């Protein structure tokens, strides 16, 4: 029996990025992006990746029926309509879904992933009536974790050992969950944001370790930097937050949403 016809896949936009259904003429850009070593490291795309892989992937998502089984969008960045990434929402049929995404190397570092995840998850909670969205990443994918946390995912500092397959082996994983109210909560927190001098990514990492009560030596080992560099970061954090001690920096950081207690 033919499947009931499904509506045309939706186009979503926040004014900066637009998510549209993928098209056959995206194949060249997908092929180019999938040569990127980071994409190969953190996803399960075929390696080597050929244009035929992109064509096959696109063909499997060509009809509205296929699309609605696992919604997937091409990410585009205004004013261009060029394919610059993908995001997929994979429903489990029981009120949950998993997300997966990538941003092309030429579009990275401008908040595109953060906007993309926020837009797709907001849509999915409403349109698919989800009660939870789950995020998995191979352990160590800091940039992806940062984007997901920024959107509102709760990602505990826990490693699931050998949890995910990756080209014939198993790798450690991180997991996060997002409930319907979490995006709005994260946005409210960001709006009540810290108005002092911005902490660098490294300083935020160090502040996170201070929140865990780690010593300079332990922080140096975790972040792969010298103890002296840790000391410099701590000094700079104290100055920026106008804190007199590490403990006070943590309290201020927690109050301003710059760090969170380990779960
Ligand atoms: C992970 C990925 C999607 C991020 O895309 P992006 O558009 O560059 O991400 P954003 O610009 O939204 O940045 C997300 C966060 O990481 C930070 N970030 C971005 N690039 C960074 C870098 N090179 N080093 C450190 N932090 C970085 C951003 O500042 C931001 O954090 P903030 O909100 O606290 O400032 C992209 O790098 C990618 O496609 N990687 C390969 C595939 C992959 O890992 N997919 C996800 C699998 S779970």
């Amino acid at each position: 029996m033919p499947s009931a016809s499904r509506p045309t896949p939706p186009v979503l936009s926040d004014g900066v990025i637009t998510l549209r259904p993928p098209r056959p003429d995206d194949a060249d850009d997908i092929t180019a992006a999938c040569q990127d070593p980071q994409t190969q490291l953190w996803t399960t795309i075929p390696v080597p990746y050929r244009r035929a892989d992109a064509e096959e992937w696109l063909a499997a998502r060509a009809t509205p029926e296929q699309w609605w089984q696992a919604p997937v969008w091409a990410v585009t960045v205004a004013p261009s309509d060029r394919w610059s990434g993908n995001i997929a929402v994979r429903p489990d049929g029981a009120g949950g879904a998993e997300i997966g995404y990538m941003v092309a190397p030429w579009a990275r570092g401008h908040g595109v992933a953060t906007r993309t995840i926020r837009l797709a998850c907001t849509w999915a909670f409403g349109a698919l009536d989800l009660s939870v969205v789950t995020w998995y990443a191979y352990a160590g994918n800091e940039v992806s974790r940062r984007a997901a946390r920024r959107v509102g995912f709760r990602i505990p500092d826990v490693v699931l050992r050998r949890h995910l397959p990756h080209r014939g082996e198993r790798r450690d994983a991180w997991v996060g969950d997002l409930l319907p109210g979490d995006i709005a909560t994260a946005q409210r927190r960001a709006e009540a944001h810290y108005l002092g001098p911005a902490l660098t990514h490294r300083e935020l990492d160090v502040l996170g370790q201070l929140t865990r009560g780690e010593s300079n030596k332990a922080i140096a080992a975790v972040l792969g930097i010298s103890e002296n560099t840790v000391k410099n970061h701590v000094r700079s954090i104290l100055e920026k937050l106008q804190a007199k001690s590490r403990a006070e920096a943590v309290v201020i950081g927690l109050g301003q949403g710059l760090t969170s207690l380990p779960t």
Side-chain angles (χ1 to χ4, degrees):
M1 211 170 82
S3 58
S5 71
R6 303 295 309 255
T8 308
V11 173
L12 313 175
S13 181
D14 67 359
V16 174
I17 61 150
T18 297
L19 305 183
R20 60 156 174 81
R23 297 188 304 239
D25 65 352
D26 293 329
D28 283 338
D29 284 324
I30 296 175
T31 309
C34 289
Q35 308 309 312
D36 163 53
Q38 291 296 313
T39 304
Q40 299 186 353
L41 178 63
W42 300 121
T43 73
T44 54
I45 60 165
V47 174
Y49 195 94
R50 305 196 169 87
R51 195 177 196 282
D53 295 309
E55 286 166 0
E56 192 184 322
W57 185 85
L58 286 161
R61 288 151 185 84
T63 67
E65 285 70 26
Q66 289 167 325
W67 191 90
W68 280 96
Q69 281 169 22
V72 61
W73 292 269
V75 181
T76 68
V77 185
S80 168
D81 187 43
R82 180 183 183 188
W83 179 98
S84 295
N86 275 332
I87 184 158
V89 175
R90 303 180 196 105
D92 64 10
E98 195 186 313
I99 54 159
Y101 50 85
M102 59 175 283
V103 168
W106 57 86
R108 287 183 192 158
H110 302 287
V112 170
T114 309
R115 287 176 176 278
T116 296
I117 303 165
R118 188 180 291 132
L119 203 51
C121 291
T122 302
W123 174 86
F125 279 122
L128 304 179
D129 196 21
L130 300 179
S131 55
V132 61
V133 176
T134 307
W135 169 96
Y136 284 103
Y138 294 110
N141 194 346
E142 293 287 353
V143 178
S144 182
R145 179 167 71 168
R146 200 179 270 272
R149 278 186 168 155
R150 175 75 64 193
V151 170
F153 276 85
R154 192 194 57 157
I155 305 171
D157 287 333
V158 171
V159 171
L160 306 178
R161 293 180 300 169
R162 301 183 186 173
H163 193 74
L164 294 177
H166 190 257
R167 294 187 201 106
E169 53 179 42
R170 298 197 69 87
R171 285 173 54 186
D172 294 348
W174 288 332
V175 64
D177 55 53
L178 185 78
L179 303 188
D182 290 347
I183 294 178
T185 305
Q187 273 180 318
R188 272 198 303 278
R189 215 173 273 150
E191 276 155 20
H193 64 284
Y194 164 66
L195 294 172
L199 267 59
T200 64
H201 289 307
R202 221 25 165 179
E203 288 164 357
L204 287 172
D205 290 340
V206 172
L207 182 61
Q209 295 296 321
L210 294 180
T211 310
R212 301 168 65 90
E214 301 292 1
S215 66
N216 286 358
K217 191 172 178 184
I219 297 173
V222 168
L223 300 181
I225 54 182
S226 73
E227 265 187 80
N228 232 3
T229 307
V230 175
K231 272 187 205 158
N232 289 338
H233 286 316
V234 172
R235 190 175 312 121
S236 171
I237 291 169
L238 296 191
E239 261 175 44
K240 287 182 177 177
L241 297 185
Q242 301 190 346
K244 293 188 188 65
S245 66
R246 299 157 76 98
E248 194 185 352
V250 169
V251 172
I252 294 171
L254 285 170
Q256 309 210 347
L258 298 171
T259 185
S260 54
L261 288 170
T263 42

